[in-house]
Amino acid sequence: MKVTVIDIAKKAGVSQSTVSKVLNNYPTISKETREKVLDAIKELEFYPDLVARSLVTKKTKTIGLIVGDISNPFFSETAKVVITDAREQEIDVIISDTDYRLENLELALRNMVGRRVDGILVASVDRRDTVTTDLAKKEFPIVLFNRHTDDKGTPYVVTDNEKGSQLAVQHLNDLGHRRIAYISGSLSFSTFHQRYNGYKKALAELNLTIDPMIVYSGQVDSEKIKVFLKKVLSLKNRPTSLYAASDQIAITVIDILAEMGLRVPTDFSVVGFDNIDIASNPHINLTTISQNKQEMAEIALEKLLNIINSKEDELPFQIILEPELIIRSTTKSIQ
Amino acid sequence: MKVTVIDIAKKAGVSQSTVSKVLNNYPTISKETREKVLDAIKELEFYPDLVARSLVTKKTKTIGLIVGDISNPFFSETAKVVITDAREQEIDVIISDTDYRLENLELALRNMVGRRVDGILVASVDRRDTVTTDLAKKEFPIVLFNRHTDDKGTPYVVTDNEKGSQLAVQHLNDLGHRRIAYISGSLSFSTFHQRYNGYKKALAELNLTIDPMIVYSGQVDSEKIKVFLKKVLSLKNRPTSLYAASDQIAITVIDILAEMGLRVPTDFSVVGFDNIDIASNPHINLTTISQNKQEMAEIALEKLLNIINSKEDELPFQIILEPELIIRSTTKSIQ
DNA sequence: CTGAAAGCGCTTACAG
DNA sequence: CTGAAAGCGCTTACAG
């Protein structure tokens, strides 16, 4: 029923090893035998069993990619780069979606190791995670991107998030804003943690007061954001602008402000972070901090493949990319 | 170095087969031996090699998912459902991105078969593809969703696209529009082909003229759309509305109209198709035909797993889901 | 240039 | 209830 290397060998009148050798392009095989074998392969429609091959070569030509939420554009846009680039090297990618939960991350990691993937790329690691570090210590090929762990034991490539926040705050300050609210997702992610630090640092440098009343971090569903915005806008000393630690949050904020009858940027300025595709849509046209996601994903993959092929000696490395301020039309100078 | 079932056997003082049996929860194993083995497993941090297991069980607990473009929200939102639901059954998913090209689709299919995935889900098949049909004929578990091939030889679950177009055209007609332009992606996809047919059919039923001048199908980058719109709007008998066969196209259209100084819906009405997440964003608020993507993906996966477990006898099946008109604010009655 | 043999790390009849 | 042995489908030293 199923065609194996043995069937090909019989058909071509050669040994099993010879078949294997033409499959793997051994240079020693003579032209005639190679052709006999190739003919048999074509005739019997033989496709080598990659599972069996993996068992002996110890390579699966598969890598794992762990994301927080594949339906979030940030992750799907970076996944695209990883999948496409990996394909060029005939590598497949298994995707795991953690829903941003630490336990799911750890499950995914263990599962992928059991699957014997050649390496793992983690786009959404939790600061507290230790499993990635354990793997890195055991010299299992693993690279983090976007986020890293507190212990910094695993190689990573990220954007300079503090710097990003400074660009955002500076921009608002340049426009005359002195009260700048802040919203971010959970501080258990290094991205949000650093953007938060950068926000505070930038305020301090500009001699602006850090007011906990206009700062929120945690779950960022639209209900929670609404409650926060209502509170903030009812303050007597209310802010004139807001820096959101992601474009998704920024867009939600703008929607809610619209519902509340506030126009952006006339009544209120908003800056996002990420520069996802939709941010440049003319209807949204969000001022944001751009991270070069594609480059980040490309580098992470390239480095991972280097590690897999033992071409990387200085581990763990840390690559930090520059963010960039992109001014569009959700920020405006204060009157 | 690497811990195997043999190491566990030695450590626990039992045979290799016994270790395997506790790993696979054979009921015959006595409590004491089971515990000895479990202890050894824990102590040596043993994780069974899933590649070796697959070679003998003939199951990889992996399925393939082939999409046209993972960064397109339609695909990433359905991928999310597939990945999450599969995980609950301890199944991993390998994603392939074809960039909508037939040759890439066929490469991906052959590769996945070589990888011995247990089954394949194709979200973006080409009408002309025959590889999927060949696989289905050989009883390889495969289910198409969203799009199907012309030969209908492979089971699929899709939306009633003709019906969707009829809902869109009817809605515009109800608002008084008599000249309705149409844009869609390549007709080599059943989705666009059927939406196109539905569009013509609906016009015919309403006794409206089908004017090839205001119809476009093919590549849908924003340049091509711009050229088409310019041409259409310079017609003396210019249309008052447009039906776009996807939300992404509709959003691009609205952007271009804005650039050209036309307001939607005051000057021009637009209907999309898909109801992707961003369509309901207050800044876009697109009137569209909703397909229940999540349900579609869920059913496709469920059916695929049924086929894998030989619980599906009537093959190929065809499941057709109902589309729904969602009226938002990009359509308006004509004065 | 080709082939016989061993082995990758599991599972699964089968025997006891 | 447990174990010896064969086998899944390949690749890879090694010998010739």
Side-chain angles (χ1 to χ4, degrees):
Chain A
M1 149 99 232
K2 184 186 188 184
V3 185
T4 75
V5 98
I6 297 190
D7 301 313
I8 302 300
K10 277 185 193 143
K11 182 105 194 166
V14 298
S15 78
Q16 195 183 147
S17 8
T18 300
V19 175
S20 177
K21 279 165 193 158
V22 347
L23 245 25
N24 292 287
N25 291 311
Y26 273 49
T28 61
I29 302 295
S30 78
K31 212 163 192 163
E32 305 89 70
T33 41
R34 140 168 270 101
E35 265 158 27
K36 275 192 297 179
V37 171
L38 257 19
D39 286 350
I41 286 177
K42 190 157 287 176
E43 197 168 338
L44 301 184
E45 293 184 55
F46 169 71
Y47 295 98
D49 187 322
L50 268 23
V51 173
R53 176 178 290 171
S54 292
L55 184 59
V56 15
T57 61
K58 309 278 117 198
K59 290 277 169 205
T60 52
K61 299 279 242 165
T62 305
I63 60 172
L65 171 63
I66 303 181
V67 300
D69 172 14
I70 190 65
S71 70
N72 175 326
F74 177 86
F75 293 112
S76 64
E77 290 167 23
T78 48
K80 170 100 182 176
V81 174
V82 171
I83 293 172
T84 309
D85 287 9
R87 183 92 296 277
E88 277 170 25
Q89 329 240 8
E90 306 205 296
I91 290 173
D92 279 319
V93 6
I94 290 181
I95 295 195
S96 233
D97 185 307
T98 65
D99 267 322
Y100 303 112
R101 291 170 55 199
L102 181 54
E103 69 215 82
N104 289 344
L105 168 69
E106 300 188 338
L107 275 171
L109 288 165
R110 293 195 202 289
N111 173 254
M112 287 175 172
V113 173
R115 281 243 125 94
R116 300 298 185 258
V117 296
D118 295 337
I120 299 177
L121 239 30
V122 187
S124 186
V125 83
D126 190 292
R127 285 171 56 204
R128 301 160 294 177
D129 170 66
T130 56
V131 180
T132 50
T133 314
D134 289 347
L135 289 172
K137 276 198 189 116
K138 286 182 194 153
E139 298 192 26
F140 184 93
I142 179 164
V143 174
L144 313 177
F145 70 92
N146 182 38
R147 296 172 179 159
H148 62 74
T149 51
D150 277 350
D151 58 46
K152 302 192 170 189
T154 312
Y156 60 77
V157 19
V158 301
T159 297
D160 188 337
N161 289 295
E162 275 203 23
K163 173 95 171 277
S165 288
Q166 286 178 299
L167 291 174
V169 170
Q170 192 104 37
H171 170 60
L172 289 170
N173 182 68
D174 288 349
L175 293 174
H177 296 278
R178 300 290 174 259
R179 292 276 288 163
I180 303 169
Y182 175 78
I183 300 190
S184 84
S186 166
L187 295 184
S188 54
F189 296 118
S190 65
T191 39
F192 295 132
H193 185 237
Q194 289 164 356
R195 288 170 201 171
Y196 180 54
N197 286 343
Y199 161 78
K200 287 191 296 184
K201 217 163 168 177
L203 290 181
E205 278 167 11
L206 295 164
N207 287 317
L208 302 178
T209 11
I210 300 168
D211 178 0
M213 286 299 283
I214 61 172
V215 168
Y216 173 86
S217 71
Q219 258 195 290
V220 283
D221 52 276
S222 101
E223 271 320 300
K224 294 253 201 274
I225 295 179
K226 199 174 287 184
V227 169
F228 171 71
L229 283 180
K230 282 220 171 101
K231 189 194 76 177
V232 160
L233 292 173
S234 67
L235 254 37
K236 38 188 174 262
N237 187 12
R238 75 190 224 180
T240 57
S241 62
L242 184 143
Y243 162 44
S246 85
D247 286 352
Q248 289 218 313
I249 298 172
I251 291 171
T252 308
V253 165
I254 295 173
D255 295 348
I256 294 171
L257 290 173
E259 273 175 33
M260 296 168 73
L262 281 175
R263 288 160 307 162
V264 171
T266 317
D267 304 326
F268 203 87
S269 285
V270 176
V271 179
F273 203 116
D274 280 345
N275 196 29
I276 56 176
D277 287 355
I278 196 77
S280 61
N281 180 290
H283 296 92
I284 295 181
N285 218 12
L286 183 67
T287 295
T288 189
I289 305 301
S290 164
Q291 13 183 8
N292 197 336
K293 305 179 290 297
Q294 345 283 359
E295 194 191 354
M296 192 158 79
E298 263 165 30
I299 295 176
L301 176 63
E302 189 191 325
K303 286 291 188 177
L304 181 70
L305 298 179
N306 279 349
I307 297 177
I308 291 173
N309 300 315
S310 340
K311 285 193 261 174
E312 202 71 40
D313 5 70
E314 286 191 50
L315 290 176
F317 56 76
Q318 280 138 31
I319 297 174
I320 297 172
L321 304 177
E322 286 297 295
E324 189 191 348
L325 171 67
I326 300 203
I327 302 176
R328 296 204 185 92
S329 48
T330 55
T331 48
K332 185 165 173 277
S333 79
I334 209 165
Q335 268 24 297
Chain B
M1 149 99 228
K2 183 185 188 184
V3 185
T4 75
V5 98
I6 297 191
D7 301 314
I8 303 301
K10 277 185 193 144
K11 182 105 193 168
V14 299
S15 77
Q16 192 182 148
S17 8
T18 300
V19 175
S20 178
K21 278 166 192 157
V22 348
L23 245 26
N24 292 287
N25 291 313
Y26 274 49
T28 62
I29 303 294
S30 79
K31 211 163 195 162
E32 305 90 71
T33 41
R34 139 167 270 102
E35 266 158 25
K36 275 191 297 179
V37 171
L38 257 19
D39 286 350
I41 286 176
K42 188 158 288 176
E43 198 168 338
L44 300 184
E45 296 185 54
F46 169 71
Y47 295 98
D49 186 322
L50 268 24
V51 172
R53 177 179 287 171
S54 291
L55 185 60
V56 15
T57 61
K58 310 277 115 197
K59 291 274 169 208
T60 53
K61 297 281 241 164
T62 306
I63 59 171
L65 171 63
I66 302 180
V67 300
D69 172 15
I70 191 65
S71 70
N72 174 327
F74 177 86
F75 293 112
S76 65
E77 290 167 23
T78 48
K80 171 99 180 173
V81 173
V82 171
I83 293 172
T84 309
D85 286 11
R87 184 94 296 279
E88 277 171 25
Q89 328 241 8
E90 307 204 296
I91 291 172
D92 279 319
V93 5
I94 289 180
I95 295 195
S96 233
D97 185 306
T98 65
D99 267 323
Y100 303 112
R101 290 171 56 199
L102 181 54
E103 67 216 80
N104 289 343
L105 168 69
E106 299 189 338
L107 275 172
L109 287 165
R110 295 194 201 288
N111 174 254
M112 286 176 173
V113 172
R115 281 244 126 93
R116 301 299 185 256
V117 297
D118 295 338
I120 299 177
L121 240 29
V122 186
S124 186
V125 82
D126 190 291
R127 284 170 58 203
R128 301 160 294 177
D129 170 67
T130 55
V131 181
T132 51
T133 314
D134 289 347
L135 288 173
K137 275 198 188 118
K138 286 181 191 152
E139 299 192 26
F140 185 93
I142 180 165
V143 174
L144 313 176
F145 70 93
N146 183 38
R147 297 173 177 157
H148 62 72
T149 50
D150 278 348
D151 60 45
K152 301 191 170 191
T154 311
Y156 61 77
V157 19
V158 300
T159 297
D160 188 337
N161 290 295
E162 273 203 22
K163 174 95 170 276
S165 288
Q166 285 179 300
L167 291 174
V169 170
Q170 192 105 40
H171 170 60
L172 289 169
N173 182 68
D174 288 350
L175 293 174
H177 296 279
R178 299 291 173 259
R179 293 274 290 164
I180 304 170
Y182 175 79
I183 300 189
S184 84
S186 165
L187 296 183
S188 54
F189 295 120
S190 65
T191 38
F192 294 132
H193 186 236
Q194 289 163 357
R195 287 171 202 170
Y196 179 54
N197 286 343
Y199 162 77
K200 288 191 295 184
K201 217 164 167 178
L203 289 182
E205 278 167 10
L206 295 164
N207 288 316
L208 301 178
T209 9
I210 300 168
D211 178 0
M213 286 297 284
I214 61 172
V215 168
Y216 173 86
S217 71
Q219 255 196 291
V220 282
D221 52 276
S222 95
E223 272 320 300
K224 293 253 202 274
I225 296 180
K226 198 174 288 183
V227 169
F228 171 71
L229 284 179
K230 282 222 171 102
K231 188 194 76 176
V232 160
L233 292 173
S234 67
L235 256 35
K236 37 190 176 260
N237 187 13
R238 74 190 226 180
T240 57
S241 62
L242 183 144
Y243 162 45
S246 86
D247 285 352
Q248 289 218 311
I249 299 172
I251 291 170
T252 307
V253 165
I254 295 172
D255 295 348
I256 294 172
L257 291 174
E259 273 175 34
M260 296 169 71
L262 281 175
R263 289 159 307 164
V264 171
T266 316
D267 305 325
F268 203 87
S269 285
V270 176
V271 180
F273 203 116
D274 279 346
N275 197 28
I276 56 177
D277 286 355
I278 196 78
S280 61
N281 180 290
H283 296 91
I284 296 183
N285 218 11
L286 183 68
T287 295
T288 190
I289 305 301
S290 163
Q291 17 181 7
N292 196 335
K293 305 178 290 299
Q294 345 282 0
E295 194 192 354
M296 194 159 77
E298 264 166 28
I299 295 176
L301 176 63
E302 188 192 326
K303 286 291 189 177
L304 181 70
L305 297 179
N306 279 349
I307 298 177
I308 291 172
N309 300 314
S310 341
K311 283 194 260 174
E312 203 70 41
D313 4 72
E314 287 192 48
L315 287 177
F317 56 75
Q318 280 139 30
I319 298 175
I320 297 170
L321 304 176
E322 286 297 297
E324 190 190 348
L325 171 67
I326 301 204
I327 302 176
R328 295 205 185 91
S329 47
T330 55
T331 48
K332 186 163 171 279
S333 80
I334 208 164
Q335 267 24 295

